Amino acid sequence: MKSFAVIGLGRFGSNLAKTLSDLGFEVLGIDEKPEAVARVCDDITHAVTGDAKEEHVLQSLGIRNFDCVIVAMSTDMQSSILVTLMLKEMGVKEVVAKASSDLHARVLQKVGADKVVFPERDMGARLAQSLSMNSILEYIELSDRYSIVEIMLPDKWEGRTLREIGVRSKYNVNVIGLRRTADGDLNIAPNPDEKLLRGDVLIVIGESEAISRVSKL
């Protein structure tokens, strides 16, 4: 079972720790504020009060033995950079760090962060995508260029098959799944010759621009 340590139990860190724990993973939460630790102590595997900027504190917790450590303390740029650097020097396999700005992100990458995240910015981008495309139910950005979405069947496609529509050749997207609202079952490899019905939900992968065009049909 994969193990995680979350350093910084503010809103982002505490929600992340609780969600990972709910998914069945071993989770250690660390924060120097006792009240922050108290908020999550009943919801995750371990929660401790300590200053992660002190190397001996991290060593005493066996931090290098965790599969992934998330540095969630982005408001104090200097501290998050210092902690990220120490974690990599201690041999932590994977360090994910939360950044508050592009400059912060570049420095985190320079000191060894394996992945840098912008939770607020990413959530805002996903929300903007969903709001701008009314038929999209779920949106996952794979990269700057590609996405996977759940999309309500366009009215123009009702009663036709994927082959007849020419989804790949005409619209430059691929339908990798089909969910029938009648039974809720998900078909991961939809039959290209099966007629599509009103209320069907398609799981589509492709370039974000192409998906946006489909969502407006």
Side-chain angles (χ1 to χ4, degrees):
M1 179 175 62
K2 195 170 184 179
S3 57
F4 295 87
V6 180
I7 299 175
L9 297 172
R11 182 181 300 176
F12 169 69
S14 60
N15 285 333
L16 176 64
K18 290 177 183 178
T19 301
L20 287 169
S21 183
D22 288 343
L23 291 171
F25 296 108
E26 178 187 351
V27 181
L28 167 68
I30 310 164
D31 199 290
E32 58 185 339
K33 298 177 181 177
E35 62 271 23
V37 173
R39 284 195 297 268
V40 302
C41 64
D42 293 331
D43 300 308
I44 65 177
T45 315
H46 303 288
V48 298
T49 303
D51 186 355
K53 299 187 297 296
E54 299 292 338
E55 188 173 357
H56 69 88
V57 171
L58 297 176
Q59 289 176 336
S60 68
L61 295 170
I63 203 74
R64 69 186 304 274
N65 298 319
F66 285 83
D67 296 306
C68 177
V69 180
I70 301 97
V71 182
M73 44 199 290
S74 69
T75 52
D76 183 348
M77 187 185 301
Q78 182 175 334
S79 295
S80 76
I81 293 167
L82 174 62
V83 171
T84 299
L85 176 61
M86 286 195 300
L87 291 171
K88 293 310 293 184
E89 288 183 339
M90 293 170 68
V92 175
K93 304 170 200 171
E94 183 180 10
V95 176
V96 177
K98 178 187 175 187
S100 56
S101 67
D102 290 330
L103 173 61
H104 189 186
R106 289 199 297 273
V107 177
L108 288 168
Q109 290 168 337
K110 290 287 187 183
V111 299
D114 298 287
K115 184 176 183 180
V116 176
V117 296
F118 294 87
E120 292 86 0
R121 180 188 299 181
D122 294 343
M123 179 59 73
R126 285 196 293 271
L127 178 59
Q129 289 284 356
S130 298
L131 293 175
S132 66
M133 295 181 275
N134 293 333
S135 60
I136 286 186
L137 306 175
E138 192 68 42
Y139 176 90
I140 301 173
E141 186 178 31
L142 299 176
S143 69
D144 292 339
R145 187 174 176 185
Y146 293 97
S147 305
I148 296 178
V149 302
E150 283 193 350
I151 185 171
M152 291 296 298
L153 180 72
D155 292 340
K156 291 183 178 181
W157 293 3
E158 185 181 336
R160 303 171 66 192
T161 68
L162 293 174
R163 195 186 302 278
E164 290 171 345
I165 296 166
V167 175
R168 184 181 301 174
S169 58
K170 186 174 180 179
Y171 297 98
N172 199 33
V173 298
N174 289 300
V175 177
I176 60 174
L178 169 67
R179 178 179 287 111
R180 284 263 141 89
T181 54
D183 52 25
D185 287 342
L186 174 64
N187 183 354
I188 294 299
N191 184 341
D193 296 312
E194 182 179 0
K195 288 191 180 297
L196 299 171
L197 307 177
R198 178 183 293 275
D200 282 350
V201 174
L202 305 177
I203 292 85
V204 178
I205 186 171
E207 293 187 359
S208 300
E209 288 185 8
I211 290 175
S212 178
R213 288 194 294 272
V214 170
S215 75
K216 296 172 183 175
L217 291 174

